[in-house]
Amino acid sequence: MRYSLRVVLYVIGGSVALTSCSLFGGKGGKPNAQNPGQNSTATGLAYNDEDQGGFMVNPYEGQPDAPNMVFIEGGRAVMGSFEEDVMSYRDNIERTVSVASFYMDETEIANVHWLEYMHYLAKDSSQEAYQAALPDTTVWVGKLAFNDPYVEHYLRYPGFRYFPVVGITWNQASKYAIWRTRAVNIKLAEDAGEEYAESDGRIPLESGIVVPAYRLPTEAEWEYAAQALIGTQWLEELQTHQRIYPWDGHAVRNPYGKQMGFMLANFKRGRGDYAGIAGRLNDAALITSYIYEYPPNDYGLYNMAGNVSEWVQDIYRPMSFQDFDDLNPIRRDGFLDPASGSNSGYNSDFEKNPESFTSLITDRARVYKGGSWKDVAYWMSPGTRRYLDQDSATATIGFRCAMIRAGSNY
């Protein structure tokens, strides 16, 4: 365990006198998470005294770095759509919220990441688990389109390794996050020279060497990270403007440098126009694209608009903007508007008629955010939102993971 030594010296008659010494490193010599001291400030009992059965306080230097994660500093923001509601959904009216700091994947999860996942499932899990994790490659099939090559090649051909994985359901993405958490923490334990063999496969949080769980971001987290309003601040808490897209301005083309005039995201310009004219393709992507292809936003996140839309945790409710907590909001169950029961005027008949239920109020409908390669620019605005059944998959929806920043109050 590391401690910082606080020494106060006085010069008395040409000699040096030692007046105080502290093994604490906090403000004013007080203990903190990184430097808790040798003894409990509540009982005076010694920490880490194995002979006396003392309480073990493991070394801690902060939350370990997690692969592919970018720190998103939290704060206040306005959620909601800033453009005309062309779909007339009226389901994302502006409201002010605060979002705690968290981490988010720098990029979308790519084909190579999913193939790695399936590799370890094939080794360590049942055949049933492996089969359940297979993406639906038939999402590329079109009755009036020759997309057959993507069915066989998009997931597995090496040239598509760093293209976003698609054909993934919300449930599959959630299970991937659970597996990824365990895989990363086992690796961190090995690097720290520790061995843990608990029955549930978890490593104690008290060890200080593990990361919190990977998971899908909440809708609020995703929208906050996409806006990246940290780049619009001027002086103290003054924001010069909001953003229609994850970058400044009303245009979708790069206004600077050698890339001037090129698109800032992978999207569909209009009917039949997915990439522009050969010789100077405007976004160089008829379908999905390389996960690092376009400039990142001010948080350093790639493709928060375009390429693929992304699953988030929340269930879909049309009135989420009205029924919300203004600190770390999320909708994850039927609280206030249950999917079934006599108290709701919008009950889903999914259980009775799963093939053609008629209500939007169902706990199976999950929100997805951001535009895709197949969407027009309207859907690239962070405030837009759509929904799909959690067991459904398309060629336009992928995902990225998020993670809390543990031990932080902002």
Side-chain angles (χ1 to χ4, degrees):
M1 184 174 294
R2 301 190 314 169
Y3 300 96
S4 60
L5 188 64
R6 178 175 177 267
V7 180
V8 180
L9 303 176
Y10 289 95
V11 178
I12 304 177
S15 63
V16 178
L18 178 66
T19 61
S20 67
C21 175
S22 174
L23 288 175
F24 299 134
K27 294 181 179 179
K30 302 299 184 183
N32 59 28
Q34 286 74 27
N35 297 299
Q38 294 180 321
N39 299 84
S40 167
T41 56
T43 65
L45 297 175
Y47 292 141
N48 303 325
D49 187 346
E50 296 184 11
D51 295 335
Q52 299 298 321
F55 177 61
M56 301 302 294
V57 179
N58 295 312
Y60 176 70
E61 297 181 3
Q63 184 170 326
D65 293 334
N68 206 44
M69 286 279 133
V70 172
F71 175 64
I72 310 297
E73 183 180 357
R76 182 197 68 215
V78 177
M79 287 184 65
S81 180
F82 302 116
E83 286 200 290
E84 181 182 356
D85 187 3
V86 298
M87 304 300 292
S88 298
Y89 285 163
R90 309 286 194 273
D91 66 348
N92 209 14
I93 307 301
E94 295 175 24
R95 68 273 190 197
T96 300
V97 302
S98 290
V99 177
S101 295
F102 62 102
Y103 294 88
M104 181 173 274
D105 268 323
E106 181 180 38
T107 65
E108 299 139 340
I109 297 301
N111 287 320
V112 69
H113 303 136
W114 199 266
L115 290 172
E116 175 191 31
Y117 172 47
M118 293 197 301
H119 167 79
Y120 285 105
L121 286 181
K123 285 179 54 178
D124 306 328
S125 300
S126 65
Q127 182 66 19
E128 181 181 6
Y130 175 81
Q131 291 293 330
L134 289 172
D136 181 6
T137 59
T138 64
V139 294
W140 291 106
V141 173
K143 294 292 186 181
L144 300 176
F146 183 66
N147 292 332
D148 304 41
Y150 304 133
V151 176
E152 294 294 329
H153 295 81
Y154 182 80
L155 175 65
R156 299 180 184 275
Y157 188 73
F160 289 118
R161 281 175 178 165
Y162 282 91
F163 283 45
V165 67
V166 297
I168 301 298
T169 68
W170 183 93
N171 282 328
Q172 287 176 314
S174 298
K175 290 178 180 179
Y176 171 83
I178 295 171
W179 170 84
R180 186 181 178 189
T181 301
R182 187 171 185 272
V184 169
N185 281 337
I186 289 175
K187 179 66 166 60
L188 288 173
E190 291 175 353
D191 292 345
E194 301 287 346
E195 292 184 7
Y196 293 93
E198 294 190 357
S199 58
D200 61 0
R202 295 188 60 189
I203 301 169
L205 288 173
E206 296 88 345
S207 67
I209 63 172
V210 298
V211 295
Y214 285 89
R215 56 177 172 78
L216 291 175
T218 66
E219 181 177 5
E221 287 174 335
W222 194 99
E223 191 170 323
Y224 179 87
Q227 288 183 7
L229 292 177
I230 193 170
T232 69
Q233 287 187 356
W234 181 70
L235 297 180
E236 296 182 1
E237 290 196 84
L238 297 178
Q239 287 180 326
T240 58
H241 55 275
Q242 290 286 358
R243 282 176 166 162
I244 295 177
Y245 305 113
W247 53 82
D248 287 342
H250 295 267
V252 293
R253 294 180 183 271
N254 194 331
Y256 305 112
K258 295 181 179 180
Q259 296 299 314
M260 182 181 296
F262 283 93
M263 295 298 178
L264 289 166
N266 176 15
F267 68 106
K268 183 180 179 180
R269 286 204 304 182
R271 181 170 295 178
D273 186 357
Y274 290 86
I277 300 173
R280 189 171 173 81
L281 298 175
N282 64 68
D283 70 24
L286 287 172
I287 57 167
T288 57
S289 186
Y290 179 48
I291 58 175
Y292 297 99
E293 184 71 28
Y294 304 92
N297 70 6
D298 286 326
Y299 275 127
L301 304 175
Y302 291 84
N303 290 298
M304 293 300 285
N307 216 22
V308 289
S309 300
E310 299 175 14
W311 289 113
V312 297
Q313 277 198 53
D314 298 50
I315 62 170
Y316 177 79
R317 289 293 189 270
M319 303 297 286
S320 289
F321 69 90
Q322 183 174 344
D323 305 323
F324 72 100
D325 194 312
D326 59 5
L327 174 62
N328 299 322
I330 186 176
R331 293 303 301 271
R332 54 186 163 191
D333 55 32
F335 178 66
L336 295 179
D337 45 12
S340 60
S342 59
N343 294 328
S344 173
Y346 305 97
N347 296 342
S348 167
D349 56 355
F350 178 83
E351 294 180 0
K352 297 179 180 178
N353 186 17
E355 296 300 323
S356 58
F357 64 94
T358 57
S359 172
L360 301 182
I361 307 301
T362 165
D363 292 346
R364 297 174 58 87
R366 299 287 175 172
V367 176
Y368 65 93
K369 302 282 284 182
S372 76
W373 59 272
K374 204 173 184 179
D375 290 315
V376 294
Y378 171 78
W379 294 108
M380 294 197 296
S381 180
T384 57
R385 62 200 303 252
R386 287 174 285 183
Y387 59 93
L388 190 68
D389 187 274
Q390 63 188 22
D391 284 324
S392 295
T394 77
T396 61
I397 301 178
F399 74 102
R400 72 181 76 210
C401 295
M403 176 187 293
I404 65 168
R405 188 192 190 201
S408 172
N409 63 349
Y410 69 89

